Amino acid sequence: MPAALSHVVLDQAAIAQRVVELGEQITSDFAGQDVRLVTVLRGGLFFLADLCRAVDLPVTLDFMAVSPYTPGVGGAVRVTKDLSDTVDGASVLLVEDVVDTGLTVNYVYSLLKARGARSVDVCTLLDKPARRIAPVPIAYCGFVMPDRFLVGYGLDLDGRYRNLTGIVALHEEGIAS
């Protein structure tokens, strides 16, 4: 394990088990419907890939990218890569790797609703409510986490560590470097 990494918070098996449970719940809740799974690149890609295979429904996938709001730095959230398909009339499940401040998710959620989605539900692997600024209606949550910088399974630090199979905490000094 690289020196910047402190310890494993969630291992691959725990994540896989929870993804299966979420997939079963989503399959039950959306029975008889087509579901559009939308994620925000890049962090949500890993969770989306596993979740879509755990949902036993006809699903379609789409992706968008946004410039995130950065606490303490400011700036508005804006779309940098838009969806490929319309969501008008679709049942959309917004799949996120982590919800912390809620500003980015709240923006994307509102955008999807404004574009005419029949429904928009939020599914996040990790919820960090201690950092919440904007309310987010989370329908499906993998794990509630403390306010700690985490990497792995799509989460990164300057683009690194996304490929770790588990969720790993960083040493505090590793965040500054």
Side-chain angles (χ1 to χ4, degrees), residues 31-139:
Q33 300 180 49
D34 292 346
V35 181
R36 172 97 32 93
L37 303 181
V38 172
T39 196
V40 177
L41 297 171
R42 301 174 190 152
L45 179 61
F46 296 78
F47 180 39
L48 176 74
D50 289 340
L51 183 65
C52 75
R53 291 178 284 191
V55 173
D56 188 17
L57 295 170
V59 298
T60 56
L61 308 179
D62 211 339
F63 307 90
M64 62 188 317
V66 297
S67 62
Y69 170 84
T70 306
V73 175
V77 177
R78 65 182 175 81
V79 174
T80 59
K81 183 233 174 276
D82 211 341
L83 299 170
S84 297
D85 301 313
T86 180
V87 294
D88 188 33
S91 297
V92 175
L93 186 61
L94 176 58
V95 179
E96 278 285 341
D97 53 350
V98 60
V99 176
D100 48 25
T101 65
L103 292 170
T104 302
V105 174
N106 191 301
Y107 173 82
V108 174
Y109 177 89
S110 297
L111 182 68
L112 294 169
K113 294 287 282 185
R115 288 182 175 180
R118 178 177 24 181
S119 65
V120 179
D121 293 288
V122 176
C123 177
T124 185
L125 179 65
L126 305 178
D127 182 17
K128 295 165 73 173
R131 297 178 47 95
R132 191 81 75 244
I133 296 172
V136 176
I138 298 173

Side-chain angles (χ1 to χ4, degrees), residues 26-33 57:
I26 292 164
T27 299
S28 174
D29 292 350
F30 287 89
Q33 300 180 49
L57 295 170

Side-chain angles (χ1 to χ4, degrees), residues 118-174:
R118 178 177 24 181
S119 65
V120 179
D121 293 288
V122 176
C123 177
T124 185
L125 179 65
L126 305 178
D127 182 17
K128 295 165 73 173
R131 297 178 47 95
R132 191 81 75 244
I133 296 172
V136 176
I138 298 173
Y140 306 95
C141 176
F143 304 93
V144 176
M145 303 301 286
D147 185 20
R148 177 134 196 203
F149 201 97
L150 303 169
V151 295
Y153 199 71
L155 302 169
D156 74 307
L157 173 66
D158 299 329
R160 294 176 290 158
Y161 309 121
R162 289 188 196 276
N163 61 325
L164 298 174
T165 58
I167 304 292
V168 180
L170 289 173
H171 291 291
E172 291 298 321
E173 60 274 8

